[in-house]
Amino acid sequence: MCGRYALYAAPEDVARAFGLATAPPVAARWNIAPGGEVLAVRLGGAGRECARLHWGLVPHWASDPAAGPRPVNARIETAADRPLFRSAFRDRRCLIPASGFYEWRREGRRRVPFFVFPAHAPLIAFAGLWERWQSGGVLESCAILTAAAKGELRALHERMPLVLPPAAYDAWLERGKLPGANASAVELRFHRVSPAVNSAANDGPALILPAG
């Protein structure tokens, strides 16, 4: 699953990694939580563009954006067929830039947080879906796709965000077949971090530091 992540790369690095014409106005954040705005990269009329999306998908056919589920994750195995995600999976895909993400491992009665980050690059991209709800106003929202955890990450949780390698960005955004891309193509590392990350009110670079 994916319930918290970080994006603290410089705007210029984000632009370079995602082939953007201009650097996006993004401030460093170390504890991005559902319910807020997140940075996404999607296709626009002139190619790739940045958008600010609400993290918690509201389908375009919803009668009221405040009613019903607002999922932050969608399972890659079922997203193409579920009514909640089917239209977005077909027509509205995006990339969610991240510097890393958090996962919690159950140890007895405790849930211990870990920070997962790329081994050889400053950024990774989650596969995402986005929707536009419009009725007297416009709300654009998104969900992050998840897949079965790979390799050593299975020791943390059975699910993880679907991490795409750069070679798969175009295929995903252009609504092609997902080219078998998953975290096995992107080397990830992780370490234990402070339980301070458990509160979405906490932010700052200390959250990603290794904890004893």
Side-chain angles (χ1 to χ4, degrees), residues 12-65:
E12 295 77 13
D13 290 336
V14 177
R16 188 179 305 109
F18 290 91
L20 301 171
T22 58
V26 56
R29 298 166 66 192
W30 287 266
N31 197 3
I32 300 171
E37 281 194 344
V38 299
L39 182 72
V41 176
R42 63 189 181 186
L43 287 182
R48 293 184 187 179
E49 64 178 21
C50 278
R52 287 287 190 178
L53 306 177
H54 177 87
W55 189 11
L57 188 138
V58 176
H60 65 87
W61 42 259
S63 58
D64 182 351

Side-chain angles (χ1 to χ4, degrees), residues 163 165 180-187:
V163 178
N182 56 40
S184 63
V186 179
E187 185 180 351

Side-chain angles (χ1 to χ4, degrees), residues 7-198:
L7 176 59
Y8 48 81
E12 295 77 13
D13 290 336
V14 177
R16 188 179 305 109
F18 290 91
L20 301 171
T22 58
V26 56
R29 298 166 66 192
W30 287 266
N31 197 3
I32 300 171
E37 281 194 344
V38 299
L39 182 72
V41 176
R42 63 189 181 186
L43 287 182
R48 293 184 187 179
E49 64 178 21
C50 278
R52 287 287 190 178
L53 306 177
H54 177 87
W55 189 11
L57 188 138
V58 176
H60 65 87
W61 42 259
S63 58
D64 182 351
R70 300 177 70 160
V72 299
N73 292 155
R75 297 174 68 95
I76 184 61
E77 298 90 345
T78 59
D81 300 315
R82 287 192 61 191
L84 190 60
F85 306 117
R86 185 168 52 210
S87 177
F89 188 90
R90 184 182 64 241
D91 298 322
R92 289 176 293 281
R93 300 181 181 181
C94 62
L95 302 169
I96 310 291
S99 300
F101 62 94
Y102 298 95
E103 193 51 80
W104 281 258
R105 181 171 70 191
R106 185 166 295 281
E107 297 182 2
R109 296 183 178 181
R110 298 187 305 158
R111 294 177 69 243
V112 178
F114 289 78
F115 185 60
V116 184
F117 55 96
H120 304 296
L123 287 158
I124 52 177
F126 306 143
L129 308 174
W130 70 276
E131 275 282 14
R132 178 182 289 114
W133 181 91
Q134 186 168 354
S135 180
V138 176
L139 173 65
E140 292 190 331
S141 60
C142 66
I144 293 173
L145 284 165
T146 68
K150 305 292 182 181
E152 294 182 355
L153 292 176
R154 288 177 293 185
L156 302 182
H157 196 278
E158 63 181 8
R159 306 288 298 178
M160 63 175 287
L162 179 57
V163 178
L164 298 178
Y169 292 175
D170 284 337
W172 176 248
L173 291 175
E174 293 168 6
R175 305 188 298 277
K177 182 179 179 181
L178 190 66
N182 56 40
S184 63
V186 179
E187 185 180 351
L188 299 173
R189 297 175 181 171
F190 60 88
H191 56 239
R192 185 172 177 168
V193 294
S194 166
V197 73
N198 294 347

